[in-house]
Amino acid sequence: MTAYRCLASLRVQHGYFADGLARGMRLQADAESEQRLQRFGLLLRHEAQRIALYLPRQAEAGLWSELQVQPDLALHFGLYCSDTAWAYYTDLRALGASPRFKHSPSSPGLLQADGESPSKPSFALGRLAELQIALNPYAQASLADWAAQDAPVYQLTLPVRRTIWKYLMLGQDSRVDVRLVDVGQAVDFTEPVVTELESGHPALMIRSQAPLALQERPSHRFQLRKRVGNSERVLIARLPMATPAALQRELIDGELCDVSEIFVNR
């Protein structure tokens, strides 16, 4: 049986998911790197918690010979996502136009932006970023040291999209004696206003005062309450949360904002 050692691994983190790990991530080598993968029998494995690159032990001497000629030799990959909804819950503006990341010489386990952007955005192709994985990140001086080194564990964090959560209460007519309350007292909301939907039907609109992160399983608990004298009565004990598919772009106070529409029927 062929013995392998791990050259490097990558964990892609994303705040949208409850466990903090992005879903559907895949690396695809460019043409030159793919040729090197094939020539040395390198394996790119997409595992449950990470993406890992493995080198056959029998190919170590050959790859080391190339590193003597090109000490900074690296493999280049595109990072892709198979989740069709990734662009909804990922902040594309914060991510940039498919940025490039490379290893940090001072911190070999860190991927840092290289300050350059590709000439053409590639989000339409499903590519989130371009990565450069160094083959001798610790600049080892001997084959023995290089073959015995620990594989760097790279981590890349994708920015979660934050949106204004806009609740549209159907069937409320012009009643504005209600308010939306965060049980955890962490989120503030606007006062309700009557608005008109595209269908012509009235709705009561309440928005979050600030953008909130989209989450797979939000921890918030929002309630709709009615003012009754000096006290309040709970009308809806737990309101639905925002979903990525409900993303809109709206002008709020003269600024174009990401907005998540949440319809509530009563």
Side-chain angles (χ1 to χ4, degrees):
M1 294 180 62
T2 302
Y4 289 85
R5 74 175 174 95
C6 184
L7 277 182
S9 64
L10 171 69
R11 287 169 56 93
V12 183
Q13 299 176 314
H14 202 304
Y16 172 75
F17 295 97
D19 62 2
L21 294 176
R23 302 289 190 270
M25 293 292 114
R26 298 195 65 82
L27 289 180
Q28 182 175 319
D30 67 9
E32 183 178 345
S33 296
E34 181 61 33
Q35 290 179 359
R36 188 164 277 113
L37 291 176
Q38 296 294 330
R39 190 163 74 253
F40 291 103
L42 288 155
L43 295 181
L44 190 62
R45 298 288 301 273
H46 294 80
E47 301 170 354
Q49 301 291 319
R50 65 176 189 170
I51 303 171
L53 181 66
Y54 293 94
L55 172 69
R57 286 287 185 181
Q58 64 191 28
E60 286 179 328
L63 185 53
W64 178 253
S65 296
E66 290 205 3
L67 285 169
Q68 302 314 290
V69 179
Q70 303 178 66
D72 297 328
L73 189 61
L75 298 175
H76 298 264
F77 299 92
L79 178 65
Y80 293 83
C81 184
S82 61
D83 186 350
T84 56
W86 72 269
Y88 294 103
Y89 55 73
T90 302
D91 190 339
L92 303 186
R93 289 181 297 279
L95 186 59
S98 189
R100 292 192 177 108
F101 295 90
K102 62 182 180 181
H103 78 285
S104 169
S106 59
S107 302
L110 176 67
L111 284 174
Q112 64 181 16
D114 70 358
E116 298 180 10
S117 294
S119 57
K120 295 181 180 179
S122 51
F123 288 141
L125 303 177
R127 187 170 70 218
L128 283 72
E130 296 176 10
L131 310 181
Q132 175 184 301
I133 305 298
L135 291 176
N136 189 10
Y138 302 106
Q140 301 288 11
S142 71
L143 170 58
D145 289 340
W146 177 70
Q149 73 183 13
D150 292 331
V153 179
Y154 295 110
Q155 296 199 41
L156 181 63
T157 300
L158 299 179
V160 65
R161 189 186 293 273
R162 304 177 71 86
T163 66
I164 297 293
W165 290 22
K166 183 175 77 173
Y167 283 88
L168 293 165
M169 311 292 177
L170 308 181
Q172 289 290 332
D173 299 323
S174 59
R175 266 176 44 189
V176 293
D177 57 342
V178 297
R179 71 184 186 113
L180 206 155
V181 176
D182 175 21
V183 174
Q185 299 183 335
V187 180
D188 295 321
F189 293 90
T190 63
E191 290 295 318
V193 296
V194 178
T195 188
E196 186 175 285
L197 303 178
E198 291 184 2
S199 63
H201 293 90
L204 206 58
M205 181 182 71
I206 305 175
R207 293 190 298 230
S208 62
Q209 293 277 16
L212 305 177
L214 293 175
Q215 293 178 300
E216 181 184 34
R217 292 198 292 272
S219 57
H220 307 295
R221 185 181 176 187
F222 301 150
Q223 292 183 343
L224 185 67
R225 298 179 182 177
K226 174 181 170 58
R227 299 181 180 92
V228 181
N230 294 325
S231 61
E232 291 182 322
R233 178 165 60 90
V234 176
L235 298 179
I236 302 178
R238 187 181 290 273
L239 286 163
M241 300 285 102
T243 61
L247 183 66
Q248 306 285 331
R249 294 278 282 167
E250 292 184 15
L251 276 174
I252 299 177
D253 297 330
E255 182 179 354
L256 193 59
C257 302
D258 288 341
V259 174
S260 295
E261 287 190 339
I262 309 163
F263 289 88
V264 180
N265 289 286
R266 289 199 69 247

